[in-house]
Amino acid sequence: MSEEIIKRNNVRVFGQGKQMLVFGHGFGCDQYVWSEIAPAFEDKYRVVLFDYVGSGKSDKSAYSTERYGTLHGYKQDLLDLCDALNLENIVFVGHSVSSMIGALASIERPDMIDKLVMIGPSPYYLNESDYYGGFEKSDIDELLDMMEVNYKEWAKYLAPVVMQNEDRPHLAEEFEQILCSNDPVIARNFAEVTFTSDVRSELSKVTVPTLILQPQFDAIAPPEVGRFVHEQIKDSQLVVMEAAGHNPHISHSEETVELIQAYLNS
């Protein structure tokens, strides 16, 4: 069974050291997005990279809308692969929706997760009278419709919005290619799960030390959201980055590495 899971989630393990560092990618991505980050840790840590089912080079035949119709299906992917590798006391680094997947996993299995690092997290993307998530419902509906009608046009539109850093257009072009490498049907389902999930009430149940890395300008998870996550998680630390854009691990990899290393060393 464990070999099946390792193949299913395209798991890769490398590096040296006792502490395990597991990296979880965000929606529309795969483990490739950690290529500038993960190698910086392999001298002192064992590093685990993987793809959620339906993403990257995972076994897409294992995908079902029943299992992956909520974030709990993705949380189960994470727990499954940690069990398959007999992992304990891991540091889980999650980008975007993976931050919430990691939070849910830590609530269920606090013995497994020693620390969380959240990059651009959001527990809820919609604006409400007493909460600013950054999006109106009509924005999300439009996004999902666009994905259904013309996936490639959607990717072309979204990539520069997510990446920012207009002075480096190659970043948006590369991110567009990552988005386009997805199965459009699965990607749309994952988008709907991501953008309609509400994990706000779960955050207060997180008991593990947590670092929140908040880009200073993020069109997907604005600074108000980062502050909300920090307020809800008792033992958390919020760092506002110099980086702009929702993917600082791609656009500002050095700063991202430095902040994670400083946190782990402290």
Side-chain angles (χ1 to χ4, degrees), residues 2-263:
S2 61
E3 275 181 33
E4 273 175 41
I5 288 163
I6 286 164
K7 195 175 172 191
R8 182 192 75 185
N9 289 98
N10 187 31
V11 178
R12 288 197 301 137
V13 184
F14 55 91
Q16 51 206 0
K18 286 181 182 171
Q19 178 89 65
M20 302 295 292
L21 216 53
V22 181
F23 289 88
H25 63 81
F27 153 73
C29 302
D30 56 35
Q31 60 181 270
Y32 168 79
V33 296
W34 301 111
S35 58
E36 295 293 314
I37 303 291
F41 294 92
E42 64 184 321
D43 287 348
K44 289 186 179 175
Y45 298 87
R46 293 280 284 161
V47 174
V48 180
L49 300 179
F50 70 98
D51 298 327
Y52 290 110
V53 168
S55 302
K57 292 183 177 160
S58 65
D59 177 6
K60 294 183 179 65
S61 70
Y63 181 86
S64 74
T65 48
E66 290 77 36
R67 175 167 165 134
Y68 298 101
T70 72
L71 291 184
H72 290 279
Y74 296 97
K75 173 203 70 183
Q76 200 54 51
D77 273 14
L78 173 58
L79 296 177
D80 285 351
L81 72 90
C82 287
D83 282 334
L85 295 168
N86 296 314
L87 302 187
E88 291 175 339
N89 305 321
I90 69 165
V91 176
F92 181 70
V93 182
H95 170 241
S96 195
V97 69
S98 251
S99 301
M100 295 304 117
I101 293 166
L104 293 172
S106 79
I107 294 163
E108 189 169 321
R109 298 279 299 276
D111 58 309
M112 182 182 278
I113 297 179
D114 195 40
K115 289 187 178 76
L116 289 171
V117 177
M118 300 180 169
I119 302 173
S122 176
Y124 189 55
Y125 293 86
L126 296 179
N127 299 327
E128 289 191 352
S129 56
D130 58 346
Y131 174 83
Y132 181 75
F135 294 86
E136 297 300 329
K137 188 176 183 303
S138 56
D139 300 329
I140 302 296
D141 290 344
E142 218 172 283
L143 194 80
L144 295 173
D145 288 346
M146 196 175 175
M147 289 182 82
E148 217 162 280
V149 174
N150 191 330
Y151 185 81
K152 287 193 169 165
E153 275 305 306
W154 164 82
K156 197 178 190 66
Y157 158 77
L158 190 71
V161 174
V162 169
M163 288 305 306
Q164 299 299 318
N165 296 283
E166 292 82 358
D167 56 325
R168 293 183 286 164
H170 69 278
L171 291 174
E173 287 161 17
E174 285 166 13
F175 190 59
E176 184 186 334
Q177 286 172 0
I178 294 171
L179 292 173
C180 285
S181 69
N182 285 288
D183 175 303
V185 175
I186 294 176
R188 193 209 169 280
N189 290 344
F190 195 4
E192 186 164 1
V193 170
T194 298
F195 287 113
T196 59
S197 290
D198 187 352
V199 189
R200 287 176 295 175
S201 64
E202 300 296 308
L203 294 178
S204 62
K205 300 174 192 169
V206 174
T207 58
V208 302
T210 302
L211 172 66
I212 300 155
L213 296 181
Q214 174 66 50
Q216 61 172 324
F217 179 80
D218 186 342
I220 306 297
E224 291 90 339
V225 178
R227 285 198 293 275
F228 177 85
V229 175
H230 173 49
E231 285 159 11
Q232 297 300 308
I233 299 178
K234 197 175 74 174
D235 199 1
S236 68
Q237 187 178 322
L238 174 66
V239 176
V240 178
M241 302 179 73
E242 294 290 320
H246 189 55
N247 290 341
H249 53 310
I250 299 175
S251 62
H252 296 77
S253 54
E254 282 181 24
E255 185 189 7
T256 305
V257 167
E258 279 169 21
L259 291 172
I260 296 172
Q261 280 177 338
Y263 182 69

